[in-house]
Amino acid sequence: QGCVQKYIVKNYFYYYLFKFSAALGEEIFYITFLPFIYWNIDHSVSRRMIIIWSIVMYIGQVSKDILKWPRPLSPPVVKLEMRTDAEYGMPSTHAMAATAISFSFLVATMNQYKYPFELGLVAAFVFSTLVCLSRLYTGMHTVLDVIGGALISAVLLVLLYPAWDTIDHLLLTSPFCPLLSIVVPLVLCYNYPKLDYYSPTRGDTTTILGAGAGATVGFWLNNQYATPAYTSENFQLGFPLITSKMLVVVLARFFVGIFIVLLTRRLMKSVVLGMLGYRYKFPIGDLEARRRLEVEVPYKFLTYSSVGFSATVLVPLLHGLLGLM
């Protein structure tokens, strides 16, 4: 592990296509696409997607460390990624995330906006298929891993769909929402399945649950003190013909929002890691110390819950101050 194989790229089209497709199942995509939906498309769609994504990814990550199925052997496959090589393989959480995000977006929007359902279905299928195929191309998963991940995600979507509106209503109106949104994910993170060796799955799971927790608290605060979801009209771009002026506003919202989100992540990483280093007496650059349970969980959770909160509360406030609403 950790040894990069030498390889020769013979087809650059497939190479860059599937490297890009693999990135659609990673943090850089989540931290841009999901907030973009919240800032520019529809608050209710974004809320449902974030909740579904958090649940699906948690179940997928835990399943990996319970089943403990190894990734494909190398050789014969050539692995184009090394960061996640220490994780187990089954199920593919890239496949789960791609299926959950694309089809939850389709289901959440098909009854709210007028667009050809067939077009939306094809787009969701193409998106999820590209991400799934990228995991085979990069040598990170077997066909069974990918199929299993997609099927598990599909089953979870079907099971959760009847409760979407109920869950959304409770998250916006229940006085217990902020407390439960923080406590439940933290309990899940601290009681994550133990492994014989270090794997980034616990840290990644904490990142996901932290972001979901921060966003959920933001949803609740917005509904209570800013713009109630069920009593007034939010700005909803939807899918009309986009004018040049609207496009400028959309892009301005996005770049302002991403700047604040990335700045929040950078600042919180430094502050939280510095505090934990002082508390547990380790230098910030000590990678082994940062992998300990008492460091990794609060470090990841506080950082990314702040990111989720910033994206749903601070960024919309800044948009209002800048006249971008």
Side-chain angles (χ1 to χ4, degrees), residues 53-224:
W53 169 69
S54 300
I55 295 173
V56 166
M57 288 298 287
Y58 173 75
I59 291 175
Q61 295 285 80
V62 169
S63 297
K64 282 178 184 284
D65 291 338
I66 291 176
L67 294 174
K68 298 183 178 180
W69 287 20
R71 289 185 181 271
L73 293 176
S74 177
V77 305
V78 176
K79 295 185 177 180
L80 305 186
E81 298 176 13
M82 297 310 300
R83 179 189 173 276
T84 58
D85 191 37
E87 297 180 2
Y88 290 107
M90 178 64 162
S92 166
T93 46
H94 273 71
M96 293 183 71
T99 303
I101 287 176
S102 57
F103 284 94
S104 63
F105 181 78
L106 172 66
V107 173
T109 58
M110 65 182 183
N111 293 324
Q112 296 191 45
Y113 302 102
K114 293 181 179 180
Y115 65 90
F117 173 76
E118 295 78 9
L119 179 63
L121 184 62
V122 169
F125 182 78
V126 169
F127 177 87
S128 55
T129 299
L130 281 175
V131 175
C132 290
L133 290 177
S134 75
R135 307 316 288 158
L136 303 179
Y137 183 87
T138 55
M140 301 310 296
H141 284 287
T142 65
V143 173
L144 186 59
D145 295 343
V146 169
I147 293 175
L151 287 178
I152 292 171
S153 187
V155 170
L156 289 172
L157 280 173
V158 171
L159 293 176
L160 291 169
Y161 177 71
W164 272 21
D165 291 338
T166 302
I167 294 172
D168 187 53
H169 182 76
L170 288 174
L171 290 179
L172 291 176
T173 61
S174 173
F176 303 105
C177 172
L179 178 62
L180 293 177
S181 296
I182 299 299
V183 172
V184 172
L186 272 176
V187 170
L188 294 176
C189 293
Y190 275 107
N191 289 276
Y192 194 81
K194 291 181 173 59
L195 297 177
D196 298 329
Y197 61 90
Y198 177 79
S199 166
T201 47
R202 185 182 64 202
D204 290 345
T205 304
T206 306
T207 293
I208 293 163
L209 293 183
T216 302
V217 173
F219 298 151
W220 185 87
L221 284 174
N222 287 337
N223 186 65
Q224 299 296 318

Side-chain angles (χ1 to χ4, degrees), residues 208-268:
I208 293 163
L209 293 183
T216 302
V217 173
F219 298 151
W220 185 87
L221 284 174
N222 287 337
N223 186 65
Q224 299 296 318
Y225 301 106
T227 309
Y230 299 117
T231 59
S232 62
E233 294 184 1
N234 293 327
F235 173 85
Q236 307 295 350
L237 179 61
F239 301 99
L241 292 175
I242 300 178
T243 65
S244 58
K245 181 179 180 180
M246 291 172 66
L247 182 60
V248 170
V249 172
V250 166
L251 292 176
R253 281 202 204 96
F254 176 72
F255 286 114
V256 167
I258 287 300
F259 174 77
I260 297 301
V261 164
L262 294 179
L263 180 63
T264 300
R265 184 178 67 164
R266 184 176 182 84
L267 290 176
M268 289 303 296

